[in-house]
Amino acid sequence: MTKITIKETQNPTILKFEFPDFITQNESFEFKNIDDAKNSPLAQQLFYLPFVKSVYISGNFIAIERYNIVTWDDVKEDVAEQIESFVAQGGIILKADETKSQKQPITVYGETTPNPATLKFVINKMVTKTAIEFKNIDETKPSPLAKELFNFPYVKEVFIDENYISVSKYESYDWNEITLEIRSFIKGFIENGGSVLDESLIVANPKIEKQKIENFDTLDTTSQQIINILEEYVKPAVAADGGNILFDSYDEKEKRVKVILQGACNGCPSSTFTLKSGIENMLKDMLNDEDIKVEALNA
């Protein structure tokens, strides 16, 4: 019987169920409901579970997002067992012929961000559930697309999340001169079957491992509350601007919250204002503690 490995992600509501072998090659599929999942009998089966919000299939894993009516600790073993049983009985994960025909033309458009050095390129399909940042070409093993982007002399950093790619440029270049070239390259790369991100290789990146909330249940209550506030209220806002925020630590004595800014948020002139006037004030208010301080670790 196929043995499923359960892996946590940066998002406490999303869990990855990994297979020992690849279940799809250079393609990713996201399903929001049972009707959406007609090309994946396994995903349809999973949607019969009342807590399943979305199903994402890529590489060697299935990522499942849950509703808050349960905790993963209560149900994850049962879900893994159900997936193993489904496969053992000959169940189909993806209908090969039909999934090939559901390919859509790729559209890519550029969006400005609060950071003048960063532009957000939005794609009309989900490319990953795992946010990842690349500071240089040596870090790009999980992402053939990021590796190619670093071959452009003006690309300084690349950040990939959900359905967009944030590209940061060097100051001496003008967006008016390079935006069309980047947009056209990303569009052509994906349409020609290029891999945006091989999720199975991200695990090997120690930086990403460090940033994961691996032991949420063992953290102190305040840290858990901070993570939940960041996930629910802050992340959607910074994602809209092409960035990401990760919880790093909370010092109970100093009342100091340390976070990591990624993508457009990293190095943004307005990020200090956002941290102090936005996130810090929100945490003070929601935690009812005026001594809370927030600082960013951008290493």
Side-chain angles (χ1 to χ4, degrees):
M1 179 183 286
T2 299
K3 181 63 179 174
I4 298 296
T5 304
I6 302 171
K7 292 284 183 67
E8 294 179 353
T9 71
Q10 294 172 356
N11 187 335
T13 66
I14 298 172
L15 216 56
K16 287 168 69 172
F17 297 84
E18 293 188 350
F19 289 72
D21 301 304
F22 280 85
I23 54 177
T24 178
Q25 296 292 332
N26 296 324
E27 289 184 292
S28 300
F29 304 91
E30 183 180 34
F31 308 107
K32 295 289 189 182
N33 54 58
I34 195 168
D35 293 333
D36 198 23
K38 62 182 183 296
N39 292 326
S40 173
L42 174 55
Q44 285 192 316
Q45 181 77 17
L46 291 169
F47 276 113
Y48 284 114
L49 300 171
F51 54 83
V52 171
K53 184 177 181 181
S54 68
V55 177
Y56 179 73
I57 301 176
S58 179
N60 69 329
F61 71 87
I62 296 175
I64 301 176
E65 182 179 10
R66 63 168 173 80
Y67 287 106
N68 288 328
I69 56 174
V70 298
T71 64
W72 274 124
D73 281 344
D74 292 336
V75 298
K76 63 184 181 183
E77 298 295 341
D78 291 336
V79 173
E81 189 176 314
Q82 182 166 324
I83 294 173
E84 290 171 348
S85 176
F86 181 89
V87 174
Q89 293 171 19
I92 297 171
I93 299 173
L94 287 164
K95 296 179 182 177
D97 292 337
E98 293 184 38
T99 53
K100 293 293 181 189
S101 66
Q102 80 172 22
K103 282 188 177 179
Q104 299 175 348
I106 296 298
T107 60
V108 180
Y109 65 90
E111 279 187 4
T112 57
T113 75
N115 188 345
T118 303
L119 210 60
K120 176 182 177 183
F121 293 89
V122 183
I123 306 160
N124 66 327
K125 61 176 279 188
M126 181 73 73
V127 294
T128 181
K129 281 276 189 180
T130 305
I132 184 168
E133 185 174 48
F134 303 103
K135 299 282 192 180
N136 55 62
I137 197 168
D138 292 335
E139 298 179 354
T140 59
K141 186 178 179 182
S143 176
L145 174 58
K147 183 177 182 179
E148 293 298 321
L149 286 171
F150 274 109
N151 287 324
F152 292 103
Y154 42 74
V155 172
K156 184 179 181 182
E157 295 177 10
V158 177
F159 173 73
I160 302 174
D161 192 15
E162 297 188 340
N163 68 327
Y164 68 88
I165 297 159
S166 290
V167 176
S168 298
K169 68 173 181 65
Y170 286 100
E171 195 174 328
S172 57
Y173 292 89
D174 190 312
W175 280 122
N176 291 327
E177 298 171 356
I178 62 177
T179 298
L180 181 59
E181 184 175 28
I182 297 177
R183 187 182 70 79
S184 299
F185 175 78
I186 293 173
K187 182 177 187 296
F189 184 90
I190 297 174
E191 282 184 337
N192 290 323
S195 174
V196 176
L197 194 64
D198 185 343
E199 308 250 359
S200 66
L201 296 178
I202 295 176
V203 179
N205 186 327
K207 184 176 178 184
I208 297 300
E209 284 296 298
K210 179 193 169 196
Q211 293 168 0
K212 285 183 179 179
I213 307 302
E214 295 281 14
N215 303 304
F216 181 83
D217 292 334
T218 64
L219 293 173
D220 61 274
T221 303
T222 305
S223 292
Q224 291 181 346
Q225 290 174 323
I226 292 168
I227 291 168
N228 288 332
I229 292 170
L230 293 178
E231 290 286 337
E232 186 169 353
Y233 298 101
V234 181
K235 275 197 175 185
V238 298
D241 288 335
N244 190 35
I245 186 168
L246 299 170
F247 173 82
D248 181 83
S249 61
Y250 170 66
D251 188 311
E252 196 169 358
K253 287 184 179 179
E254 295 185 1
K255 300 291 183 75
R256 189 182 305 279
V257 180
K258 293 183 180 181
V259 297
I260 298 164
L261 299 179
Q262 294 181 319
C265 297
N266 187 7
C268 177
S270 62
S271 62
T272 301
F273 176 82
T274 301
L275 281 172
K276 295 299 177 185
S277 299
I279 300 169
E280 188 172 287
N281 285 344
M282 180 186 293
L283 291 176
K284 285 179 178 179
D285 182 56
M286 299 185 79
L287 297 174
N288 195 25
D289 189 340
E290 286 298 316
D291 295 325
I292 292 281
K293 296 179 285 289
V294 178
E295 67 177 52
L297 299 173
N298 288 332

